[in-house]
């Protein structure tokens, strides 16, 4: 797998705690707690890395920006292998292992890595068993996604499928009810949402694709009482995820 860089203290810490294989931790030379400095805010992170046999390298901040492609690295960048995807069956197995009804989130062409990262963060917090993304027209599990998810990408499996509609049919055959977020749907709190369920969130610009929408068992709409007629995809996803949590 290709080399990947995770930036930001929370994201790096979660990657290390999850046991994800890492090659090297780069820390800013002038950061308190750096190898040439005194123990400080980076001290625990450095100790965690060393306890797992990860080499810690003292570099200039410019190097961190070069590696991570961002100035928002908080003085720490971790070199890892690119995140691996799970299989769809693994997501269902995760629910079965916990003796819980499956709760999945499907992302229909979410191409903004910040939106995908935010969805993963909320999904992990809400107890979702896994997230499904299409192979094409979806943000990859990049360091931007990892950073935005605050490390949640290390704890929630993400399955990548060739055909989202086919995956939906598979899930329906396994007994899941599939609900899509769509402005043309019924009020989001109008029906019980317990049991095995999958929530489908559409792309930032187009919403749900026609074929995806047709395969949903029902469409759910959030009330829009202001002058803006739509919500950010990750915000809508968060509201609907916790509505489902309420019914579970």
């Amino acid at each position: 797998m290709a080399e990947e860089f995770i930036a930001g203290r929370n994201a790096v810490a979660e990657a290390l705690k999850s046991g994800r294989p890492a090659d090297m931790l780069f820390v800013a030379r002038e950061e308190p707690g750096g190898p040439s400095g005194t123990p400080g805010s980076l001290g625990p992170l450095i100790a965690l890395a060393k306890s797992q046999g990860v080499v810690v390298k003292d570099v200039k901040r410019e190097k961190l920006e070069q590696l991570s492609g961002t100035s928002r690295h908080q003085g720490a960048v971790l070199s890892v292998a690119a995140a691996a995807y799970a299989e769809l069956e693994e997501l269902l197995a995760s629910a079965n292992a916990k003796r819980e009804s499956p709760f999945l989130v499907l992302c229909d062409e979410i191409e903004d890595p910040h939106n995908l990262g935010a969805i993963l963060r909320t999904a992990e917090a809400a107890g979702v068993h896994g997230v499904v993304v299409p192979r094409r027209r979806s943000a990859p599990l990049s360091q931007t996604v990892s950073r935005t998810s605050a490390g949640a990408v290390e704890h929630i499996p993400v399955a990548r499928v060739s055909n989202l509609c086919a995956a939906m049919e598979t899930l329906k055959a396994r007994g899941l009810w599939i609900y899509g977020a769509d402005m043309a749907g019924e009020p989001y709190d109008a029906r019980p949402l317990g049991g095995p369920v999958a929530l489908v969130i559409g792309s930032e610009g187009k919403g749900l694709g026609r074929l995806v929408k047709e395969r949903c068992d029902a469409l759910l709409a959030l009330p829009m009482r202001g002058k803006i007629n739509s919500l950010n995809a990750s915000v809508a996803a968060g509201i609907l995820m916790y509505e489902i949590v309420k019914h579970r």
Side-chain angles (χ1 to χ4, degrees):
M1 292 184 288
E3 189 176 39
E4 180 80 20
F5 295 98
I6 295 176
R9 298 181 191 183
N10 287 339
V12 168
E14 292 301 327
L16 291 169
K17 291 175 184 177
S18 73
R20 181 171 173 181
D23 299 321
M24 187 174 295
L25 174 64
F26 299 87
V27 294
R29 181 171 299 166
E30 61 271 34
E31 284 288 331
S36 59
T38 56
S41 59
L42 283 175
L45 196 61
I46 292 170
L48 177 60
K50 289 183 175 180
S51 72
Q52 297 185 13
V54 177
V55 176
V56 178
K57 188 173 183 179
D58 184 8
V59 299
K60 294 182 179 180
R61 296 187 70 87
E62 291 82 355
K63 179 65 174 179
L64 296 184
E65 295 181 15
Q66 178 186 346
L67 293 172
S68 65
T70 178
S71 60
R72 299 170 62 187
H73 47 67
Q74 299 176 307
V77 175
L78 185 68
S79 172
V80 297
Y85 290 94
E87 297 294 330
L88 187 60
E89 287 297 326
E90 292 180 64
L91 275 55
L92 298 173
S94 174
N96 185 59
K98 297 177 181 178
R99 299 181 182 275
E100 297 174 349
S101 296
F103 179 15
L104 305 181
V105 172
L106 281 58
C107 296
D108 183 19
E109 300 186 7
I110 299 292
E111 298 184 280
D112 183 340
H114 297 91
N115 266 337
L116 181 58
I119 288 171
L120 290 173
R121 181 174 184 171
T122 304
E124 199 281 329
V128 172
H129 298 110
V131 174
V132 181
V133 299
R135 189 173 298 276
R136 298 178 61 192
R137 302 188 189 91
S138 174
L141 296 182
S142 64
Q143 61 92 9
T144 300
V145 171
S146 178
R147 186 174 62 252
T148 307
S149 77
V153 70
E154 307 298 334
H155 301 292
I156 185 167
V158 179
R160 186 166 61 173
V161 297
S162 299
N163 188 306
L164 194 63
C165 290
M168 293 170 70
E169 293 297 337
T170 297
L171 294 176
K172 291 169 79 169
R174 297 290 295 272
L176 277 73
W177 282 79
I178 300 183
Y179 299 100
D182 189 85
M183 291 301 297
E186 61 188 88
Y188 75 108
D189 55 356
R191 63 166 63 209
L193 299 173
V197 60
L199 171 67
V200 192
I201 302 297
S203 67
E204 297 85 355
K206 300 179 296 182
L208 296 177
R210 179 180 62 83
L211 295 178
V212 169
K213 189 183 299 187
E214 290 174 355
R215 283 167 174 76
C216 291
D217 293 304
L219 300 175
L220 306 176
L222 293 167
M224 303 300 297
R225 296 174 179 168
K227 295 182 180 180
I228 303 299
N229 63 4
S230 66
L231 292 174
N232 173 278
S234 63
V235 173
I239 295 171
L240 293 173
M241 275 188 255
Y242 272 94
E243 179 65 18
I244 293 171
V245 168
K246 184 173 74 174
H247 290 264
R248 291 171 66 84

